[in-house]
Amino acid sequence: MHAINEIAAEKLGQPAYTEPLTVSFLKSNPHLMLDTAFFGAEFIDRLLAGFEDIDIHTGGQLLHSENFQAIRLLSPKYAGSLTCIYIDPPYNTDASPIIYKNGYRHSSWLTLMSDRLLAADSLRLKGAIVCVAIDDYECPSLVGAVNSTLGYGQLATIVVRSKPQGRPTTTGFSANHEYGIFWGDEHSVVGRMPREGSKAQRYPHRDEKGIYAWANFRKSGSDSDRKDRKRSFYPLFVKDDQIRIPEMTWSDEDESWHLSEQPGGEEVKVLPMMPTDQRRYGPAPLSEPRSK
């Protein structure tokens, strides 16, 4: 956790940062990272000796390393176990100065990326999703390399508005976006964020399949007239709480459905019409079974 000195009690309702740190502050922030480099060797040995299996008590690992070497270091322990891999590589443009070298030749940059993606592939669990951040300059090359080399299926490309004021490029245009490109395999499943606020209120009911809302079966708004959606104008046969679609055939001649059967028993034929539709369009153009 960065900038812990900015944690103030009046903002978060918890003990504020002080020097030295208090026990109550540490208990209120149990996920602070601990860098043992600032402790003496004797204390580090006593600290580690207090854990029978330190992996059980840690929620992750932070490595400060060149990424290829970090992947190789993680491979023996995490092979086939990661459910998601996110990569934010150098964009290979001089307009985005970072600690890595920018301005490779396309082939050199692709070699750098391919080596690391191939190494990271061994860490993926079946169904894991890979996301790579990139901009316009190397986006086509990256997509081609991943699709052909790793054989992932491209799930989606998300446009991210990363710099509203724009950043200069060698073309003279100012770019204010980049991309998040997602890949997966045949077992990958994309989850959904829970709806909140007004969106959650639109779906007030829940069953074993998820949340839902009741809506009028008849379409409303634009393109909702019978003349706009002729193939969507057909009857339902209703009996108590049972609904079924009857047998019918489409006629190109009069552009309407022709019923092959009539309601049976206590069934009622229901059409997607409002009372005003009868006056506006006349009777529904649905034919009864044709006699031979």
Side-chain angles (χ1 to χ4, degrees), residues 40-285:
E42 181 181 351
F43 176 78
I44 293 175
D45 291 339
R46 288 192 292 112
L47 177 65
L48 295 177
F51 299 96
E52 182 175 348
D53 187 344
I54 193 171
D55 287 337
I56 297 177
H57 301 279
T58 54
Q61 295 189 17
L62 177 66
L63 277 67
H64 183 68
S65 166
E66 197 281 326
N67 47 30
F68 185 77
Q69 301 303 325
I71 293 171
R72 295 293 296 272
L73 179 64
L74 292 171
S75 294
K77 181 177 180 180
Y78 290 101
S81 63
L82 300 189
T83 58
C84 179
I85 297 175
Y86 172 75
I87 303 173
D88 187 5
Y91 286 1
N92 206 26
T93 56
D94 292 327
S96 56
I98 54 175
I99 59 174
Y100 290 96
K101 175 185 175 181
N102 268 328
Y104 287 98
R105 292 180 178 272
H106 283 292
S107 57
S108 299
W109 185 88
L110 279 175
T111 299
L112 177 144
M113 287 297 300
S114 297
D115 288 347
R116 283 148 182 79
L117 286 167
L118 284 169
D121 185 58
S122 65
L123 304 178
R124 292 177 66 249
L125 181 68
K126 184 185 295 184
I129 290 177
V130 177
C131 176
V132 182
I134 199 66
D135 69 357
D136 291 288
Y137 187 66
E138 290 290 4
C139 183
S141 303
L142 173 70
V143 170
V146 174
N147 290 350
S148 61
T149 304
L150 298 178
Y152 300 158
Q154 189 172 340
L155 301 176
T157 299
I158 306 299
V159 180
V160 181
R161 191 183 183 208
S162 57
K163 197 166 186 178
Q165 69 272 26
R167 58 176 174 79
T169 65
T170 55
T171 63
F173 290 94
S174 292
N176 65 358
H177 70 280
E178 56 190 43
Y179 305 101
I181 306 179
F182 294 79
W183 285 275
D185 55 35
E186 65 273 17
H187 302 284
S188 299
V189 177
V190 179
R192 294 181 179 274
M193 297 292 290
R195 291 184 173 88
E196 299 178 352
S198 60
K199 290 185 177 180
Q201 295 172 3
R202 291 169 52 191
Y203 301 91
H205 307 292
R206 178 181 292 274
D207 60 15
E208 67 279 1
K209 294 183 179 180
I211 59 175
Y212 67 94
W214 291 101
N216 197 331
F217 187 68
R218 181 184 184 278
K219 191 177 185 302
S220 59
S222 60
D223 296 330
S224 61
D225 289 342
R226 189 191 316 169
K227 61 181 177 59
D228 299 318
R229 291 289 187 270
K230 294 180 180 180
R231 284 184 176 269
S232 296
F233 189 87
Y234 55 85
L236 299 176
F237 288 178
V238 181
K239 178 183 177 182
D240 298 326
D241 59 350
Q242 298 179 357
I243 302 173
R244 71 182 181 93
I245 300 175
E247 294 283 342
M248 51 188 166
T249 57
W250 176 257
S251 170
D252 289 326
E253 183 180 350
D254 53 19
E255 296 184 301
S256 66
W257 290 102
H258 291 249
L259 288 176
S260 302
E261 62 173 317
Q262 289 301 300
E266 298 178 359
E267 287 183 327
V268 177
K269 182 171 67 175
V270 177
L271 290 163
M273 297 178 65
M274 297 180 67
T276 53
D277 290 339
Q278 285 278 5
R279 297 191 297 269
R280 187 175 180 184
Y281 296 110

